[in-house]
Amino acid sequence: MSGTSSALRPPSDAVAPVRHPDAPAPGELLGAHYDLCFGCGGGQPHGLHLEARAGEGVRITAEFTVQPAHQGAPGLAHGGVLASALDETLGSLNWLLRTIAVTGRLETDFVRPVPVGTVLHLEAEVTAVAGRKIYSTATGRIGGPDGPVAVRADALFVEVKVDHFVDNGRQEEIRAAMDDPDTVRRARAFEVNP
């Protein structure tokens, strides 16, 4: 994180992250936290449909395939879509901490173009925690999990209460999520960054 802004450098009193004992097991597919989420939801026809898996410690891996609807320049992924993939991956880390948190800051480096049809292999980890602040980093590679880096990001997430979503979300969607008879889906709808 040498080129990272000071806002994304953990303070000297930050502590190492601790994986929650009830976190998904390494290798477990995390699944969508909300069906209409642009990043992971299956109900978004042009969404990323990003699939994340729990890793060891406080790490996850994820993949998504760049579709024609995700392009900016002809045949290449839009930078905003790549930033969304990084944000979604980084936000999914909070499932391993069992913490509700939202993106406070995201700094993204675009290293090389990502063509349409490419599978972007993402890896992310929480690096430190300081009070309500969660510091994390991610990389996205093309050509495989060990391929060349195409994008990378450092992020700061801030722990919030569920009221953050209830007070600020559009009431129609909030009511639908709160009224879902599936208690697991209802709880997971508010687990990560909206």
Side-chain angles (χ1 to χ4, degrees):
M1 292 184 13
S2 60
T4 302
S5 74
S6 62
L8 292 176
R9 283 191 214 111
S12 59
D13 62 344
V15 298
V18 177
R19 183 189 187 102
H20 193 279
D22 295 331
E28 187 176 327
L29 186 64
L30 299 180
H33 73 278
Y34 179 54
D35 192 49
L36 295 178
C37 174
F38 176 77
C40 65
Q44 282 290 349
H46 298 297
L48 303 182
H49 302 151
L50 187 133
E51 293 189 344
R53 290 189 181 279
E56 297 292 333
V58 191
R59 294 175 163 252
I60 66 161
T61 58
E63 292 182 358
F64 97 96
T65 302
V66 179
Q67 301 297 322
H70 302 146
Q71 65 189 308
L76 297 174
H78 189 286
V81 168
L82 297 175
S84 293
L86 288 162
D87 185 46
E88 184 68 27
T89 302
L90 289 158
S92 294
L93 287 164
N94 296 311
W95 293 356
L96 302 181
L97 301 173
R98 297 290 298 255
T99 299
I100 301 171
V102 296
T103 309
R105 186 175 185 103
L106 177 70
E107 288 187 13
T108 306
D109 295 316
F110 301 95
V111 180
R112 63 177 23 97
V114 179
V116 169
T118 298
V119 175
L120 190 65
H121 300 268
L122 298 132
E123 185 173 2
E125 71 175 310
V126 176
T127 57
V129 177
R132 294 177 46 225
K133 295 180 177 180
I134 301 163
Y135 297 85
S136 53
T137 188
T139 57
R141 298 173 181 272
I142 57 177
D146 297 319
V149 172
V151 292
R152 62 178 159 248
D154 292 308
L156 167 64
F157 281 76
V158 180
E159 184 178 352
V160 297
K161 302 291 183 210
V162 75
D163 295 351
H164 167 86
F165 302 97
V166 174
D167 294 345
N168 296 293
R170 195 166 74 162
Q171 290 307 304
E172 179 181 337
E173 281 85 358
I174 297 297
R175 270 193 305 278
M178 298 288 260
D179 292 344
D180 190 324
D182 184 318
T183 57
V184 172
R185 267 198 325 251
R186 185 171 57 235
R188 290 189 69 194
F190 302 101
E191 278 185 343
V192 298
N193 187 44

